[in-house]
Each structure stands twice: as C-alpha cells, then as structure tokens.
Amino acid sequence: MSSIHFPFSAVVGQDDLRLALLLNAVSPAVGGVLVRGEKGTAKSTAVRALSALLPQVEVVPGCRFSCAPAAPDPSCPDGPHQHGPGALRPARMVELPVGASEDRLVGALDIERALAEGVKAFEPGLLADAHRGILYVDEVNLLHDHLVDVLLDAAAMGASYVEREGVSVRHAARFLLVGTMNPEEGELRPQLLDRFGLTVEVAASREPAQRVEVVRRRLAYEDDPAGFATRWAGDEHEVRARVVAARALLPKVSLGDTALLQIAATCAGFEVDGMRADIVMARTATALAAWAGRTEVRKEDVRQAALLALPHRRRRNPFDAPGLDEDLLDRILDEFPDEEPEPDPDPDPEPGPEGPGGNGPDDGGSGDGGPDGGPGGTPPQESGPDAPAGDAEAPQTPQGSEQRPSGQENGGGGLEQAAVRAAEPFRTKMLSVPGLGEGASGRRSRARAAHGRTTGAQRPRGHLTKLHLAATVQAAAPHQKARGRSGRGLVVRKDDLRQATREGREGNLVLFVVDASGSMAARQRMSAVKGAVLSLLLDAYQRRDKVGLITFRGAGARLALPPTSSVDAAAARLEQLPTGGRTPLAAGLLTAHETLRIERLRDPSRRPLLIVVTDGRATSAGALGGDPRELSRRSARMLAAEGVASVVVDCESGPVRLGLAGVLAADLGGPAVSLDGLRADSLAGLVKNVRTAVTSQSSHTNRRAA
C-alpha cells in the first residue's frame, strides 16, 4: 500500500462529511466528528486525507508532547522549556487501534528504565502524540467503553491526566477527534454520542454516473499514486490555503443575539438534553461563517450547524435512528429572521466540484474495502440516514401485509397473521451468567479481564501483557545480593516477572428462540411477548452483549438475525415478525444448537444465554420426521447436556393449560415463567436463578445415572 494518501479534494461527493471535517480543521473547539455509515463509503479515506490539509505546527525541539515555543505547557513533563526557535513539522494523524490498551492510550511508567536504571520516567501515549493534530479512531463503537470515556474526557478538557503506579502526570492533549463506525456492528451509548461535536451519516451513491467516477479515480490512484496526487496538488493547495484563511478569520466572526436566539430556540424546540448542543452549534455556526469568508453568522449557518450537531443528540431510545425533522427546523428558524440580509457575495460554504476540495473518489486511499462515495463534477448525493444494508436473512413480509393462505413460505397449518407492534418495554434487573468467564469486555457477568480491578498477581502464562510492578519487585528483591547488584538499577530476571490478574465484566451472547406459529398469533399475547423481548434487548444494548434471533413456525426454523452486536437490527427483526402455521419446536431448538456451535468456534470465550419464548406445543416435525414432542425433548436435553444456560417463557393461556412449557424447561435444565409474569422485573429476576436450576438438573441427572 502506498504511503501517499488519496487527496482530500479528490474524494467523490460526501459533501457533509468533507464539510464537517473541514469545520473541525478550522475550529478544533467544535469537538470532533463521528462518521456513521455502511462499509466502503470513504470514511477512512477522507479522514486520512484531511491530515495533509492541516497547516504545519511549530514545536519545541525535542519535546515529546509537541509544546508550542511561543506558549509552552507549564506542566509539560519534558519542561520547563527555554525560549528559543521552534521547529516546523507536519500535523500528525494518530490512529487508535480497537485493541489498544489504556497504557498505550494515556501513557504509563517506563518499566524498562525503572527496572534497569532505577528512575521513575513517564512513557507518553497516543494522546500525547496526537496533541495539535488528529486522533482517528476507526470502528469507535467497538472500542472498550472505558477507553472511550478516557478519550472523550481528554478531548473535552484538552488535557490528559495519568495517576497510576506511582506516576502523576498532566499534559496538554488538544486534538481533532474523528471516529468512524458502521451501525450494523453496534451503536455507541447515547451518553458517548453526545460527546462528539458533529455527526455525519454517509452512504454509497446510487447514481451509476457517480459510481463510475468513484471507480475511475480509485483505479487511477492505484495505478500511479504519485502522479494522481500531483494532478490534484493545485486543488489541495487551495483547500489548505482556505483552511488557513478561515482560521485567521475565526476570532473576528461575530455571533449576534439573533443567531444565539436561533440556536437556543432550535435546541429547545428539539428537546435536546443539556447545554452541550447549544455550545457546539454556536462554535459550528461560527466556523461555517469563517469558512465562507464572512464575519457574521447568518441563519443558513445556524441551520447547517443544526443538521450536523443535533441528529445524534435526538435519540431518546437506544433503538431510535438519528435524524432531524427539517420542516420543524425551518419553522423554528423562521421565527427569528436575520436582521439585515448581507448583500456580500457568499462563497460556497462547501468545496466546489473542481475547486478547492472538489469532488473526488470515495475509497481511494488507504483503508476501506471499496470506494462507494459520491462523484465529482455531479450534483451531491442526497443526505440522510444510512442506507439499509442488504441482508439475505431480513424478513420479507411487510407489517401491513394481509393474511394469506398457508403453504407459501408458511409451511402449512393456518393463515399467516400480519406483524403486530411490540408492547411498551420495561426495565429489567441485572441478568448474569453464573461463574467467572473470560469473554469480551462488557457490563454483564463477572469475568477475568484485561481491564478492571486488580485482584492479585501470578506468573505469566505466555506473553506478559500487564506487569504487576509491586509483585515483580517483591519477587526480585531477595536475590539482589546473590546477583551481584552494584548500581541503582534492580537486577530482574524473567522468572521474577509477575502478571497482574484483574476482574471486570464481560458481555454475553443472548440468543432468543421465538415461537411464531399460529398458536402464538393472538395479537394481545404476541404484543406482550415482543415487549418482553424488546425489554431484554434494551438491557443487552446497555450491557454490550451480542444478540441473535431465531424464529420457528410452519415447516421449520430460520435464523432471523445471526449473532451480532447490533441490537438495533434485532429490534427491527422482532418488530417485523409475522406469525402463523404449525409449531416445529424441535427445529427451533436444533437451529439454536447449531448457531451456538458455530459461535463457539468464532468466539469461544463468550458465554451464551438461551431464552425460548413458546407455549411448549410441538405440532410439527418438519423435515426431520418422527414424533414432534419426542424430537423437541431430545433437542432440549442435548442443549442441557452442553451446559447452555436457558430460560423458558411460557406463553400458554386459557382456562385449560397443558404445562408443556414447564416440561420443556425441565428438559433444558432451566426455569419457566408464565406470560403474565413477564412484566416489571420478573423475567430478568428469573435468569439469575439459571445457575441454581442448571445445578439442580445436573445433580438430578447424576443421581439417575448412579
């Protein structure tokens, strides 16, 4: 891969993305950009290309924290600095990997110098490297929560504080924060979304002409990166000069009372929580005016600022899609017209097609799988929420569909009912899988983790990842005389090293198996069932779980949603779930067994929790043949034998009850709860008893075997 980045001015389309990045380049106080979009939409390409447009920075020679010679940081760990000439260097773009440790991000004690020289020295992290440059986090939604918290705190305060292992350091950390994410892979918590100044939704162009231009420029870049960059050098220079001019003009821009009223009324009208949105809008509108070459903020600046700063702050529910009602926005702004329209020519606030920052290819440079942007020289693509990703597993029956005879996809056994809406979700108690796991970082079950409270030390098994300094020194201290120590440094050998053991929380795989047969088709009952499942999905979202959804009806079962971190997708599948047909319970359980088997191969450390929502009836063997009831019991016992923690939601109703769900729960080795008990915290509380039920079932099995 060439070290020459794809030119920013050559990125095709993606006008909102390019504008948001440029506004942060003009005014880093805006607070960064979160770029949301499907894969292959030039997210990474545009961010990497931006670094070449930033002006060079003057730094104190030899300072690891990039202090400015004119105003060095008084608390810089490398200071105090003497006044003198500085050195110019390009602005850096520092990338934070998803798997980075907290030490790598904020810095830590220099263990090598501490042990070899006996001195306490601080080794800077990525936050120090990114000072006065760009910090880029690809797939920020997959980053550990505690790292996101540290990152956003530093971005908000403009400084990083490190208090650990005898080190107390504070250094400046002002940078342009850019995060990218694919919503299909999971969402950020609303609290974290609010910490990003601007959010941009990007999607691939659906216009053939634009896509042709994307491919043409991408291929030209790959054939000759240097020649391609040379052809766009003039446009790059113009954009860079415009950024420098806008930065110089920014302090002179006036934010009048009318603009402030427009901003306040907009945030109040959209019921945005807190005051951060007002501040971000004010800074963004000011940067827009400077970018346009004006010294006063106009209504169109406030409108554009709202479109960039408010959509992600409008999410009331984790499953709400970011968005903004533009008609309401216009009505609010019309109540506060600008006092005096300016006759000055208004430069295009966005780069023109062939001018500074003109359109260019989408995925040209260095990272995304394929270019999908919008094209240069043609009208910009429509803005809006992410285009829905194709999914072969997505339900094909719309909510408003009419009943239809069985036999078509239904597998026989009655009429298919249209999907019903879920009842209002409710808060659940803490759900946890028993024991001590080792799964991915989350907020549910106890687990051995790389992050969390330190519980002890042990000899490392394989590569040392987290040194327990006190235990290492304690192990080495008794042997110093025998090892002939003569200087200040401690003589440490490999056998002295100790690994810190930590306990935190893990995320789990919550797999829902939902009966969608005709016996479940009563609208009030299915609505309550969906409401309960939606409540647990909300809990899974907050606790960073993976979720999956299996439905069974008619002649078989289908994996409606493979295990994913995107609980939004699970909620969408649940909402569209139709009912009707016979009840192939065994097929649903066997599909769950196969799904869990595959997931164990992919992610063996993530422990599952199986939730079966059914009335327990088994009226169809499907393609398996044989007695449906016996097949379902055998399938359930197979899951129990593999130690899968399960709970059964009994949806049977009416004066005469067969108790089949209770039999199924006994075979699975888990508890059963009636549909009436789903409200409030009853279902979530039941899951806590899974361990007791599994242990009891195991003891019963052992006694029978004896």
Side-chain angles (χ1 to χ4, degrees):
M1 179 61 68
S2 170
S3 60
I4 301 175
H5 290 313
F6 195 93
F8 185 86
S9 53
V11 173
V12 177
Q14 306 297 15
D15 298 321
D16 287 343
L17 170 58
R18 292 185 292 116
L19 179 61
L21 292 172
L22 288 169
L23 291 177
N24 274 271
V26 171
S27 175
V30 167
V33 187
L34 176 64
V35 187
R36 298 164 42 93
E38 58 198 22
K39 53 187 175 293
T41 48
K43 301 187 297 291
S44 299
T45 297
V47 176
R48 293 188 175 102
L50 177 67
S51 60
L53 299 180
L54 298 182
Q56 289 189 321
V57 294
E58 188 178 19
V59 298
V60 174
C63 177
R64 297 174 298 167
F65 300 87
S66 301
C67 283
D73 182 6
S75 59
C76 175
D78 285 355
H81 298 300
Q82 300 298 324
H83 290 288
L88 285 175
R89 65 160 176 80
R92 293 174 180 158
M93 193 194 76
V94 177
E95 294 193 45
L96 176 63
V98 171
S101 66
E102 186 174 354
D103 287 348
R104 185 72 186 95
L105 178 62
V106 302
L109 180 67
D110 188 335
I111 299 297
E112 182 178 350
R113 293 190 62 191
L115 297 179
E117 304 174 23
V119 298
K120 184 167 64 176
F122 179 71
E123 181 69 22
L126 294 176
L127 292 179
D129 292 341
H131 180 46
R132 305 176 69 193
I134 300 174
L135 183 60
Y136 172 49
V137 188
D138 195 13
E139 306 294 351
V140 65
N141 53 322
L142 303 182
L143 199 66
H144 292 309
D145 281 352
H146 76 284
L147 290 183
V148 177
D149 290 333
V150 170
L151 181 64
L152 295 177
D153 283 344
M157 295 185 296
S160 174
Y161 294 85
V162 184
E163 301 282 349
R164 57 196 340 194
E165 297 170 344
V167 175
S168 179
V169 171
R170 179 257 181 218
H171 65 83
R174 291 183 294 276
F175 47 81
L176 195 169
L177 176 63
V178 183
T180 61
M181 60 174 286
N182 182 352
E184 295 176 6
E185 297 172 343
E187 282 285 359
L188 277 172
R189 303 197 314 267
Q191 301 94 315
L192 299 181
L193 280 173
D194 184 55
R195 301 294 290 275
F196 281 93
L198 310 179
T199 295
V200 177
E201 302 279 341
V202 297
S205 170
R206 301 301 186 241
E207 292 293 331
Q210 293 184 342
R211 299 177 76 95
V212 166
E213 185 64 20
V214 169
V215 175
R216 180 181 291 118
R217 295 190 185 183
R218 171 64 185 238
L219 294 178
Y221 167 78
E222 292 181 346
D223 289 342
D224 182 9
F228 187 82
T230 300
R231 289 196 296 274
W232 288 90
D235 294 319
E236 292 285 277
H237 176 74
E238 291 182 27
V239 177
R240 189 180 300 110
R242 189 171 174 185
V243 169
V244 172
R247 281 188 172 188
L249 184 62
L250 186 66
K252 303 175 184 177
V253 175
S254 171
L255 185 66
D257 291 341
T258 300
L260 283 172
L261 281 173
Q262 291 170 342
I263 291 170
T266 300
C267 293
F270 283 102
E271 300 179 351
V272 177
D273 294 332
M275 295 297 298
R276 183 175 283 118
D278 302 63
I279 296 171
V280 171
M281 274 191 65
R283 290 171 174 167
T284 305
T286 303
L288 279 162
W291 177 248
R294 290 184 268 102
T295 57
E296 78 293 330
V297 173
R298 297 179 178 175
K299 184 170 71 173
E300 58 263 32
D301 299 326
V302 175
R303 187 182 192 279
Q304 183 64 61
L307 294 175
L308 294 172
L310 295 188
H312 61 297
R313 294 183 167 89
R314 285 279 300 145
R315 299 186 74 190
R316 297 298 182 197
N317 185 299
F319 300 145
D320 292 342
L324 207 64
D325 184 345
E326 295 193 33
D327 291 336
L328 175 58
L329 174 61
D330 290 333
R331 289 197 299 272
I332 294 173
L333 294 178
D334 287 342
E335 297 178 7
F336 302 92
D338 290 338
E339 296 177 2
E340 294 184 10
E342 292 290 336
D344 303 344
D346 185 7
D348 186 358
E350 302 177 30
E354 297 299 335
N359 298 338
D362 168 289
D363 195 60
S366 47
D368 292 339
D372 292 275
T378 58
Q381 67 184 70
E382 295 181 1
S383 60
D386 297 332
D391 189 348
E393 299 289 345
Q396 300 300 316
T397 305
Q399 282 196 24
S401 62
E402 300 293 332
Q403 294 184 1
R404 64 181 182 183
S406 61
Q408 303 173 8
E409 182 186 337
N410 194 19
L415 296 175
E416 177 180 299
Q417 305 292 321
V420 298
R421 299 187 66 84
E424 192 69 20
F426 50 85
R427 186 175 179 83
T428 66
K429 291 181 180 177
M430 171 70 170
L431 313 183
S432 60
V433 176
L436 192 64
E438 296 182 348
S441 176
R443 293 175 168 241
R444 184 173 298 280
S445 306
R446 294 175 55 229
R448 301 180 188 91
H451 308 283
R453 63 186 183 91
T454 300
T455 57
Q458 64 181 15
R459 292 182 183 274
R461 300 172 182 174
H463 181 65
L464 178 68
T465 56
K466 183 63 180 177
L467 180 74
H468 194 297
L469 182 60
T472 298
V473 172
Q474 187 176 6
H479 308 291
Q480 295 306 295
K481 185 175 181 180
R483 294 173 183 174
R485 175 185 172 187
S486 58
R488 295 179 59 192
L490 195 66
V491 181
V492 179
R493 295 179 179 171
K494 186 175 181 181
D495 290 343
D496 301 327
L497 298 178
R498 294 294 183 267
Q499 173 84 30
T501 58
R502 296 184 172 187
E503 182 177 310
R505 292 281 174 176
E506 68 174 358
N508 298 113
L509 168 59
V510 181
L511 183 60
F512 295 93
V513 181
V514 180
D515 184 348
S517 64
S519 61
M520 298 285 291
R523 287 181 174 270
Q524 185 175 2
R525 182 159 39 134
M526 198 62 196
S527 177
V529 169
K530 285 187 176 183
V533 177
L534 184 62
S535 301
L536 290 175
L537 284 173
L538 282 165
D539 186 66
Y541 167 83
Q542 295 164 353
R543 303 194 186 281
R544 313 295 285 177
D545 292 317
K546 291 180 71 173
V547 296
L549 178 64
I550 293 171
T551 64
F552 59 93
R553 66 186 182 92
R558 65 189 290 262
L559 183 60
L561 182 71
T564 175
S565 297
S566 178
V567 292
D568 301 60
R573 301 293 195 277
L574 179 71
E575 192 69 24
Q576 298 168 7
L577 177 64
T579 57
R582 300 175 67 83
T583 312
L585 176 57
L589 297 175
L590 290 174
T591 302
H593 179 271
E594 179 63 13
T595 301
L596 294 177
R597 182 189 70 81
I598 294 173
E599 279 301 302
R600 273 194 295 270
L601 296 175
R602 292 174 176 169
D603 192 356
S605 61
R606 190 180 290 269
R607 297 182 292 165
L609 174 64
L610 183 68
I611 299 181
V612 185
V613 185
T614 181
D615 57 10
R617 298 174 186 267
T619 61
S620 172
L624 301 173
D627 181 7
R629 292 187 182 182
E630 182 58 28
L631 281 172
S632 63
R633 297 197 66 179
R634 282 163 46 193
S635 302
R637 291 168 185 160
M638 180 170 60
L639 285 164
E642 296 186 0
V644 177
S646 308
V647 61
V648 176
V649 179
D650 184 1
C651 300
E652 190 175 26
S653 62
V656 179
R657 304 197 178 199
L658 302 178
L660 298 177
V663 175
L664 174 63
D667 289 331
L668 284 169
V673 59
S674 67
L675 187 62
D676 294 336
L678 292 178
R679 301 300 304 169
D681 298 329
S682 55
L683 176 62
L686 251 177
V687 181
K688 288 189 173 182
N689 299 324
V690 168
R691 180 178 187 178
T692 303
V694 170
T695 303
S696 175
Q697 176 70 13
S698 177
S699 301
H700 178 64
T701 302
N702 292 337
R703 286 197 300 271
R704 284 193 304 174

